[in-house]
Amino acid sequence: MSENTLLRLPAVMRATGLNRTRIYALQRAARFPRAVKISERAVAWRSDEVNAWIEARTAERDMQGRAA
């Protein structure tokens, strides 16, 4: 996913390991990237934002490992 693309929910779920309910809950809590409305009934997420979220989780893990 090096180029910026729009990811539909199944791809976001595969990339993050989260289920639909958790993704939307994190999004509501402003702890996950907001979806982009791509049509009247469809949304997607920017791949660069999802990748940045994943990288931030990895950085948190690494920082916690150093503090222990």
Side-chain angles (χ1 to χ4, degrees), residues 12-43:
V12 174
M13 290 168 53
R14 282 192 302 276
T16 63
L18 300 172
N19 65 25
R20 177 188 190 280
T21 303
R22 188 67 177 146
I23 289 169
Y24 282 106
L26 288 171
Q27 185 177 265
R28 279 191 304 277
R31 295 179 51 212
F32 193 79
R34 291 179 56 203
V36 176
K37 190 167 185 154
I38 59 175
S39 74
E40 193 173 310
R41 295 181 51 161
V43 298

Side-chain angles (χ1 to χ4, degrees), residues 1-2 11 15-17 28 30 32 39 45 47 52 57 60 63 65-68:
M1 286 187 256
S2 61
T16 63
R28 279 191 304 277
F32 193 79
S39 74
W45 286 260
S47 61
R57 301 295 72 71
E60 285 178 14
M63 291 302 291
R66 291 182 190 151

Side-chain angles (χ1 to χ4, degrees), residues 44-66:
W45 286 260
R46 288 177 47 136
S47 61
D48 62 330
E49 292 177 354
V50 172
N51 289 332
W53 182 87
I54 292 168
E55 291 300 320
R57 301 295 72 71
T58 303
E60 285 178 14
R61 177 205 61 196
D62 294 346
M63 291 302 291
Q64 288 174 354
R66 291 182 190 151

